[in-house]
Amino acid sequence: ANVSRTVVPEIAMRFPRHLVIEVVADEAVRATRIAGRSRTSDGLSGDRLARKTVFARTPSTVTIHNDGPAEEGGALLASHIMH
């Protein structure tokens, strides 16, 4: 499930066999992707880029660096979910 980072600690306590997947990308890549979406409902692109994404990592946290093509990031995500 895609959840708010604020609930990660509670999920870790309630579900010992959980998996947290953090997907990150370089700021320049994020800026290009955000600009390409043109979704005003997401807020200003500068505000989105300035957001801090700090959360309580758990031993089950995996980080995917999604700076390349969407197919590569998607394959990594699927690989982690399936294992």
Side-chain angles (χ1 to χ4, degrees):
N2 185 6
V3 300
S4 168
R5 292 171 189 90
T6 61
V7 301
V8 169
E10 182 178 344
I11 288 172
M13 287 188 315
R14 289 179 142 193
F15 305 100
R17 291 186 46 171
H18 67 279
L19 174 64
V20 176
I21 301 176
E22 174 189 31
V23 180
V24 299
D26 178 74
E27 187 171 328
V29 172
R30 289 176 48 228
T32 300
R33 290 176 180 168
I34 289 169
R37 288 186 194 132
S38 300
R39 291 191 317 220
T40 57
S41 62
D42 287 344
L44 299 174
S45 60
D47 292 344
R48 289 187 49 109
L49 288 172
R51 288 183 195 164
K52 300 299 177 200
T53 56
V54 177
F55 69 99
R57 297 178 64 83
T58 74
S60 298
T61 299
V62 173
T63 301
I64 295 174
H65 295 274
N66 188 24
D67 293 325
E71 296 79 17
E72 289 178 15
L76 282 170
L77 178 62
S79 172
H80 285 295
I81 291 171
M82 300 304 288
H83 290 102

